[in-house]
Amino acid sequence: MSSSEDDMPLVKESLTNGATNGNAPKSKDIIPKSLDKAMDKANPPATNGAPGISIRNGPMDEMEVDEPEVNGHTNNKRKARTSAGKGKSYREESDEDDEEDKPISKKRRVSKGKIKVDPDSDSEDEPIVRKKPSAKSKSPTVLKKPIKASETAIGESEDSDAPLGTKLAKEKATIQKHAEKEAKTIRKVEREAASKKQTNGAKPSSSKKKANGVKKEESDDDKPLAKKAPAKKKTAVKNEVPTPKKKGGKALKKEETEQDEEAEAEEEEYRWWEDPTKGDGTKKWTTLEHAGVVFPPPYQPLPKNVQMRYDGTPVKMALEAEEIAGFFGAMLNSTHNVENPTFQKNFFDDFTKMLKDTGGATDKNGNEINIKEFSKCDFQPIFDYYDAQRTQKKALPAAEKKAIKAEKDAVEAPYLYCMWDGRKQKVGNFRVEPPGLFRGRGDHPKTGMVKKRVQPEQITINVGKEATVPTPPDGHRWKEIKHDQEGTWLAMWQENINGAYKYVMLAANSDVKGQSDFKKFEKARELKKHIDRIRKDYQNELKDEKMANRQRATAVYLIDQFALRAGNEKGEDEADTVGCCSLKFEHVTLKPPNTVIFDFLGKDSIRFYDEVQVDPQVFKNLKIFKKVPKSDGDEIFDRLTTSALNKHLSNYMNGLTAKVFRTYNASFTMADLLRNMKLKGTVAEKVVDYNEANRKVAILCNHKRTVAATHETQIEKMDERIKGLQYQKWRVKQMMLDIDPKIKKKKGAEYFELDEELDEAWIIEHQNSLVEEQRQKIEKKFNKENEKLKAEGEKEMKHKELEERLEVADELAKKFKTENKKKKVEPEGKGPTIEKYEGNLEKLDQRINNMLMQRKDKDNNKEVALGTSKINYIDPRLTVVFSKKFEVPIEKFFSKTLREKFDWAIKSVDENWEF
């Protein structure tokens, strides 16, 4: 299920008269030359436009310093709240059981003393760093800025004398020069090819124009990139991504069988990326058949002894109201939501409305209870009931869980696939969303509202005319049956919170979804022909006397250099999210000489803070755009709309919109970095090198993030694992000494010394953990075998068998105790020799080196959103090229889900492909 922008009905037209909020623009139509000269004198602009760089970039951490009080759920310690900081939905927050289950004392805490705010500052352009407390709040909310970009984040050494800003600007400028040179080369090749065709008697192409007035020369390079002849493949060599080799006869036989199956599958496989007849026509399918959607189960009433309490009194209510109370009660452990005042208010409004509509609430004697204060509601009994249900479900034997899953899978099997033009295609999320409380993301104003149960009468089905219409549930009917061959959706309905349309679409690895990704990256590849002209034009227009042109040029600069979204207008009841074209006066702070601070609610209502250094001319323009009579609430780009901006961009290239720049910049930057790579070393070292390139893309394209709360814990775990391997090395060396004491003189005493970090206390603790780990493995295996015996109807093993198996762990504990006492480690393994132990040491060294590289990689990546770049903006074919060129398994970069999603990329290019 998805909310597709392309398929969503157009509910509102954009204003095109330059007034983006319905009011007349406050900026002047023409910028007086006297104003330009005066501002230039005060702050002389640079002669050449420098590429912009990001100093800080990411969500704002929101920290409550007072203890909130929640009905039925109180905490005695302070804790951080990051409703905007993590950039996650409320749903995602509540699903992270490992974080929620931690004692509050172990959760991340924030000290008051670390946040300093200058109380004397009275600048109009001061960024918002402290929110005003609400009437109910006892203390203010402090906003912590994101961390600054660091040298390690872009793979630079910290001891360099050059400031980081200079390094970033220099790197970005170099890449943009390469882009300019490549664009000119492409156009030169196209002109030569066109000229050659004309000389050979071909029809001149200069007379042919695109619909938007841009001339198009016919040449091989002007064809859509998807239709060019594929690169020649090596004869008799399968062009696949390297995967680890299998050992042993059985494995080889299995591999041969799998290869036979693959060969058969390939005969039937539809390689749409090699089909030149597949165009961009509006008709998406000819025949379509599917089973419809799966509805959530009906509401199961609470037991009679489980009731919400109001002011200490258990209350009865209608099932409709009880279900809503259950939504809130079930999620008391998700303090991120239930402590949110907006969430509480919206929930309580909907809850009391339902009570009013269904006859209200009563006590056990039938006396009416007037529920009017949220603070008197106690949902703890409901939470305890649902929590017990969850615990009981987790405790089910594996065999029972497997049987429940098999039953569920059998019910859902018909909905997994559809027949699309005679081909079996996997469907995405065919389940209708269950009712619950809307969580939203960031500071969404509607968080906590009740998501109503979706009925069949609300659902429109899209199916072929000749196909069998899916059967609705008994006693119900579908809202409408459509045969929309231009749509790629199978079913749709409108949810009640935001009025958004929800769609059941094909899965990410389907042909249709793959073609959508393919077209997106091909559009970005096409942009590289025109990028130099676009940048040259907007640099010139930054000084245009017409306000509309100057605003447009400044907006394109910000979108190109900082990956800002263009932004769309919002209704009064929607979250006040903004993009470049809808930035308001208060969202932009100017700090001379050329630093700009963006602070606003971005996509998905995530509060975003971006501190950037811009071209001085851009800084001057923003100062002009903010001049009086503008004030808070007024739009900075009041003579520009998103539709007008995209219409202007389409003059350069058919279909070019603001969002293509983000994909182009990430992909071209990655391609430029990969082009110059000449890697050697292990697979682990090559993965680190790839991640360093990806990290540079993320930094240069401003894909940063705040450090995760769990980062330090993860690093500590990795350090412990490295120390554990170092301890293993020391034990192996002691075994070598036991076999041949003379080797100490040969190798030197230092070779056999214990690492400084491995003190006696750590060794004892580590040994205990190894013994405990051994016990847990034995118990887990024993329980699993018993469950299997029970499922097969055989007699279970007795507890005595477990005790006998656990003797192995007891022996290990005794062994460690003896070693610590005698300071001597006896040889282990069959036929121990010095040569065997030296081989073991080499393997341990390799494992330690791999772990150290992974640790360094993880630490360097803490500030950078690598996934954002790699999955959404870097052409996946570049990752495939790296994988094939340097013989690194694609599994190191793409998970199974991503390998399915980007199957077209894996199979369509070889190591010589270029973006």
Side-chain angles (χ1 to χ4, degrees), residues 407-558:
E407 187 179 342
K408 181 175 176 250
D409 290 347
V411 171
E412 295 184 349
Y415 302 89
L416 285 171
Y417 295 91
C418 72
M419 293 303 293
W420 183 289
D421 283 349
R423 301 188 61 79
K424 193 176 181 181
Q425 300 281 357
K426 193 169 185 181
V427 179
N429 193 355
F430 47 80
R431 302 173 188 88
V432 174
E433 286 182 332
L437 299 183
F438 176 69
R439 307 188 190 190
R441 297 190 68 181
D443 298 325
H444 204 290
K446 295 187 177 181
T447 183
M449 289 179 67
V450 174
K451 284 194 301 180
K452 296 178 181 177
R453 187 177 293 273
V454 177
Q455 299 296 339
E457 286 75 12
Q458 296 170 251
I459 295 177
T460 300
I461 298 291
N462 193 25
V463 73
K465 285 183 181 179
E466 308 301 324
T468 304
V469 176
T471 307
D474 291 341
H476 292 275
R477 59 180 178 78
W478 302 119
K479 177 183 178 181
E480 190 179 355
I481 306 298
K482 283 198 171 186
H483 313 292
D484 180 9
Q485 293 177 302
E486 296 180 11
T488 58
W489 54 278
L490 310 183
M492 64 174 276
W493 63 91
Q494 196 172 14
E495 52 86 28
N496 67 291
I497 302 292
N498 299 304
Y501 287 88
K502 297 290 184 177
Y503 294 84
V504 173
M505 313 284 279
L506 296 188
N509 60 334
S510 65
D511 294 349
V512 174
K513 284 288 185 182
Q515 288 173 38
S516 176
D517 285 337
F518 178 78
K519 289 170 187 172
K520 176 176 100 171
F521 292 112
E522 285 298 297
K523 186 69 71 179
R525 286 181 77 201
E526 195 179 345
L527 176 55
K528 69 179 183 173
K529 296 181 189 178
H530 313 282
I531 192 67
D532 62 321
R533 293 189 293 118
I534 294 171
R535 285 174 177 161
K536 185 180 177 181
D537 286 352
Y538 75 60
Q539 283 291 346
N540 290 334
E541 285 193 338
L542 287 174
K543 301 175 184 179
D544 199 291
E545 65 173 8
K546 282 196 72 174
M547 180 66 78
N549 291 350
R550 196 178 288 202
Q551 285 191 3
R552 186 179 65 203
T554 305
V556 177
Y557 171 92
L558 295 175

Side-chain angles (χ1 to χ4, degrees), residues 147-176:
I147 48 170
K148 283 192 175 184
S150 67
E151 279 81 356
T152 54
I154 58 166
E156 298 284 352
S157 62
E158 295 182 9
D159 55 1
S160 170
D161 291 333
L164 178 62
T166 307
K167 293 178 190 175
L168 284 168
K170 187 177 179 181
E171 179 112 31
K172 202 165 185 177
T174 302
I175 291 169
Q176 290 188 1

